[in-house]
Amino acid sequence: PIKAGCGGFGIRNFLTLFLSIELSKALQDQLAAQEKDDVAGAAAAAHRVSLLTQQLEESNPILTAISDAMAEEGEVLQAMALEADAAKKKLMQIKAEELTEKKKTLTSTLQALSERFSALTSLPPPLIPEV
């Protein structure tokens, strides 16, 4: 069977936790800037909040698909280990390989998404007109 990564915590939970921590930090920065009447600081923090929220929303279905593929792969490999019929075992092996490829593709998609948001968060926030 497939063993969980991250000490069993899993990629989905790890990434969600990391983004949630960053989102909480950005929200705190936004509130602190608003309390100081720092319009530019509040706008920058609000921009980070928006981007991190969007990243969480876009990452979630990819993470779910990765998790589902891992679980299915584990089930197929477990069944394959118990299967005596060589032809059925071969079909299970093909299915396991397809799931491995699916995970690789999804992981690449997730990496591209992370890189896109990393680039976006390094950009300055949109200009806010002076009040």
Side-chain angles (χ1 to χ4, degrees):
I2 294 191
K3 295 181 181 164
C6 304
F9 192 64
I11 183 175
R12 180 180 185 168
N13 293 327
F14 182 77
L15 183 60
T16 302
L17 175 64
F18 174 76
L19 289 172
S20 296
I21 291 169
E22 290 299 311
L23 180 59
S24 293
K25 185 176 160 191
L27 284 167
Q28 289 173 351
D29 291 347
Q30 183 180 9
L31 289 173
Q34 288 170 341
E35 287 174 2
K36 296 177 187 174
D37 291 325
D38 178 1
V39 175
H47 181 65
R48 281 195 348 263
V49 167
S50 175
L51 290 172
L52 289 164
T53 300
Q54 187 178 352
Q55 185 175 4
L56 268 168
E57 290 170 357
E58 290 184 33
S59 296
N60 192 46
I62 300 168
L63 291 165
T64 298
I66 291 170
S67 179
D68 290 348
M70 287 178 73
E72 187 177 356
E73 181 187 36
E75 291 168 8
V76 169
L77 291 173
Q78 208 168 26
M80 193 172 81
L82 301 173
E83 183 58 58
D85 183 277
K88 288 181 182 177
K89 206 169 202 162
K90 180 64 178 167
L91 290 174
M92 291 176 180
Q93 179 63 39
I94 291 168
K95 180 66 176 175
E97 289 168 2
E98 289 170 356
L99 290 164
T100 297
E101 285 307 308
K102 182 177 183 178
K103 289 186 315 181
K104 286 180 184 177
T105 300
L106 289 165
T107 300
S108 293
T109 301
L110 185 63
Q111 182 64 39
L113 181 111
S114 293
E115 289 169 3
R116 187 179 95 213
F117 277 97
S118 179
L120 288 173
T121 56
S122 67
L123 295 174
L127 292 175
I128 306 296
E130 298 264 338
V131 230

